[in-house]
Amino acid sequence: MARIVDALRRHTGDECFACGRSNPIGLHIDNFDIQGDDVVATFTARHDLQGTIGNLHGGIAATALDEILVWAGILQEKVLCVTGRLDLRYRRPVGVAGEIDLRARVEERRGNRLVISGSLDPGDGGMSVTAKGLYLVSHTIAEIMEETGL
């Protein structure tokens, strides 16, 4: 799995706003892993990511969820995909102090279309934002691994 994560970061120049480590203003989503049927990762909610005072901006939550849903496609189906549709449910505010847990899974694949769902949890055991989306395959991971020489 680490090989795939590294290859994709090399493919994007590690500048992705959501998961790139080299992007100085990015979310720096990291610690990708597979737990059971889910792909998981984390990021740290910082004060510069807030909307209303003390709360994570809803657009940042949407970005983080979109990213983990894409990573579910990468790590579970071995494809890179782009967002076709993303539906979100904001259940309660998320604070901007501490680590945020992300979780996603591919629910269905039909050809080049994936239905993926996920959640954002501020670490207290309660889902704060949930998402479900339609994702469209753009590349296979094998193609990207070949391009990056891995």
Short mmCIF file of all heavy atoms in Angstrom, two decimals, residues 27 43-57 60 94-98:
data_model
loop_
_atom_site.label_atom_id
_atom_site.label_comp_id
_atom_site.label_asym_id
_atom_site.label_seq_id
_atom_site.Cartn_x
_atom_site.Cartn_y
_atom_site.Cartn_z
N LEU A 27 -4.21 20.17 3.36
CA LEU A 27 -4.74 19.46 4.51
C LEU A 27 -3.78 18.41 5.05
O LEU A 27 -3.87 18.02 6.20
CB LEU A 27 -6.06 18.78 4.14
CG LEU A 27 -7.19 19.70 3.67
CD1 LEU A 27 -8.44 18.88 3.38
CD2 LEU A 27 -7.47 20.77 4.70
N PHE A 43 -6.19 13.65 9.26
CA PHE A 43 -5.56 14.96 9.09
C PHE A 43 -5.82 15.76 10.35
O PHE A 43 -6.67 15.42 11.16
CB PHE A 43 -6.04 15.68 7.81
CG PHE A 43 -7.40 16.31 7.90
CD1 PHE A 43 -7.54 17.68 8.10
CD2 PHE A 43 -8.55 15.55 7.73
CE1 PHE A 43 -8.79 18.27 8.16
CE2 PHE A 43 -9.80 16.13 7.76
CZ PHE A 43 -9.93 17.49 7.98
N THR A 44 -5.06 16.82 10.52
CA THR A 44 -5.19 17.67 11.70
C THR A 44 -5.99 18.90 11.34
O THR A 44 -5.63 19.65 10.43
CB THR A 44 -3.81 18.06 12.25
OG1 THR A 44 -3.10 16.86 12.57
CG2 THR A 44 -3.93 18.92 13.49
N ALA A 45 -7.07 19.13 12.09
CA ALA A 45 -7.87 20.34 11.90
C ALA A 45 -7.12 21.51 12.51
O ALA A 45 -6.79 21.50 13.70
CB ALA A 45 -9.24 20.16 12.56
N ARG A 46 -6.81 22.49 11.68
CA ARG A 46 -6.06 23.67 12.12
C ARG A 46 -6.99 24.88 12.15
O ARG A 46 -7.98 24.94 11.43
CB ARG A 46 -4.90 23.94 11.16
CG ARG A 46 -3.99 22.78 10.92
CD ARG A 46 -2.85 23.16 9.96
NE ARG A 46 -3.25 23.90 8.79
CZ ARG A 46 -3.38 23.37 7.56
NH1 ARG A 46 -3.14 22.08 7.35
NH2 ARG A 46 -3.73 24.13 6.54
N HIS A 47 -6.62 25.87 12.94
CA HIS A 47 -7.44 27.08 13.05
C HIS A 47 -7.59 27.82 11.73
O HIS A 47 -8.61 28.47 11.50
CB HIS A 47 -6.89 28.00 14.15
CG HIS A 47 -7.15 27.46 15.51
ND1 HIS A 47 -8.37 27.54 16.14
CD2 HIS A 47 -6.35 26.76 16.35
CE1 HIS A 47 -8.32 26.94 17.31
NE2 HIS A 47 -7.10 26.45 17.47
N ASP A 48 -6.59 27.71 10.84
CA ASP A 48 -6.71 28.40 9.56
C ASP A 48 -7.68 27.69 8.61
O ASP A 48 -7.92 28.16 7.50
CB ASP A 48 -5.34 28.60 8.90
CG ASP A 48 -4.65 27.30 8.54
OD1 ASP A 48 -4.83 26.30 9.26
OD2 ASP A 48 -3.90 27.28 7.54
N LEU A 49 -8.29 26.59 9.05
CA LEU A 49 -9.27 25.86 8.24
C LEU A 49 -10.69 26.08 8.75
O LEU A 49 -11.62 25.41 8.32
CB LEU A 49 -8.95 24.36 8.25
CG LEU A 49 -7.57 23.97 7.72
CD1 LEU A 49 -7.33 22.47 7.89
CD2 LEU A 49 -7.41 24.38 6.26
N GLN A 50 -10.86 27.03 9.64
CA GLN A 50 -12.18 27.23 10.23
C GLN A 50 -13.09 28.08 9.35
O GLN A 50 -12.64 28.86 8.53
CB GLN A 50 -12.06 27.85 11.62
CG GLN A 50 -11.65 29.30 11.67
CD GLN A 50 -11.53 29.80 13.10
OE1 GLN A 50 -11.89 29.12 14.05
NE2 GLN A 50 -11.04 31.00 13.25
N GLY A 51 -14.38 27.87 9.57
CA GLY A 51 -15.42 28.71 8.98
C GLY A 51 -15.89 29.63 10.08
O GLY A 51 -15.30 30.66 10.34
N THR A 52 -16.95 29.20 10.80
CA THR A 52 -17.34 29.95 11.99
C THR A 52 -16.31 29.70 13.07
O THR A 52 -15.58 28.71 13.04
CB THR A 52 -18.74 29.53 12.49
OG1 THR A 52 -18.73 28.13 12.77
CG2 THR A 52 -19.79 29.84 11.44
N ILE A 53 -16.23 30.58 14.03
CA ILE A 53 -15.19 30.52 15.06
C ILE A 53 -15.16 29.15 15.73
O ILE A 53 -16.16 28.68 16.26
CB ILE A 53 -15.40 31.63 16.10
CG1 ILE A 53 -15.23 32.99 15.42
CG2 ILE A 53 -14.41 31.48 17.26
CD1 ILE A 53 -15.57 34.16 16.29
N GLY A 54 -14.00 28.51 15.63
CA GLY A 54 -13.79 27.24 16.29
C GLY A 54 -14.29 26.01 15.55
O GLY A 54 -14.09 24.89 16.01
N ASN A 55 -14.92 26.19 14.39
CA ASN A 55 -15.47 25.06 13.64
C ASN A 55 -14.83 24.94 12.26
O ASN A 55 -14.62 25.94 11.57
CB ASN A 55 -16.99 25.20 13.47
CG ASN A 55 -17.72 25.06 14.77
OD1 ASN A 55 -17.44 24.15 15.55
ND2 ASN A 55 -18.64 25.96 15.04
N LEU A 56 -14.58 23.69 11.88
CA LEU A 56 -14.04 23.39 10.56
C LEU A 56 -14.99 23.90 9.48
O LEU A 56 -16.21 23.71 9.57
CB LEU A 56 -13.85 21.87 10.42
CG LEU A 56 -13.13 21.36 9.18
CD1 LEU A 56 -11.66 21.78 9.23
CD2 LEU A 56 -13.25 19.84 9.11
N HIS A 57 -14.45 24.55 8.46
CA HIS A 57 -15.25 25.04 7.34
C HIS A 57 -15.89 23.86 6.62
O HIS A 57 -15.24 22.83 6.40
CB HIS A 57 -14.35 25.82 6.38
CG HIS A 57 -15.10 26.56 5.33
ND1 HIS A 57 -15.68 25.94 4.25
CD2 HIS A 57 -15.39 27.88 5.21
CE1 HIS A 57 -16.28 26.84 3.49
NE2 HIS A 57 -16.12 28.03 4.06
N ILE A 60 -14.04 22.52 3.65
CA ILE A 60 -12.85 21.73 3.99
C ILE A 60 -13.28 20.31 4.32
O ILE A 60 -12.63 19.34 3.91
CB ILE A 60 -12.07 22.38 5.15
CG1 ILE A 60 -11.53 23.76 4.73
CG2 ILE A 60 -10.96 21.46 5.63
CD1 ILE A 60 -10.53 23.75 3.59
N VAL A 94 -17.71 20.35 13.55
CA VAL A 94 -16.42 19.72 13.81
C VAL A 94 -15.48 20.81 14.28
O VAL A 94 -15.31 21.82 13.60
CB VAL A 94 -15.86 19.06 12.52
CG1 VAL A 94 -14.49 18.45 12.79
CG2 VAL A 94 -16.83 18.03 11.98
N GLY A 95 -14.85 20.62 15.41
CA GLY A 95 -13.92 21.61 15.92
C GLY A 95 -12.63 21.64 15.12
O GLY A 95 -12.33 20.74 14.33
N VAL A 96 -11.86 22.69 15.33
CA VAL A 96 -10.59 22.84 14.59
C VAL A 96 -9.37 22.59 15.45
O VAL A 96 -8.29 23.09 15.17
CB VAL A 96 -10.47 24.23 13.91
CG1 VAL A 96 -11.42 24.34 12.74
CG2 VAL A 96 -10.67 25.35 14.91
N ALA A 97 -9.53 21.79 16.47
CA ALA A 97 -8.38 21.43 17.30
C ALA A 97 -8.32 19.92 17.37
O ALA A 97 -9.19 19.28 17.93
CB ALA A 97 -8.53 22.03 18.69
N GLY A 98 -7.30 19.35 16.75
CA GLY A 98 -7.11 17.92 16.88
C GLY A 98 -7.20 17.15 15.59
O GLY A 98 -7.43 17.70 14.51
#
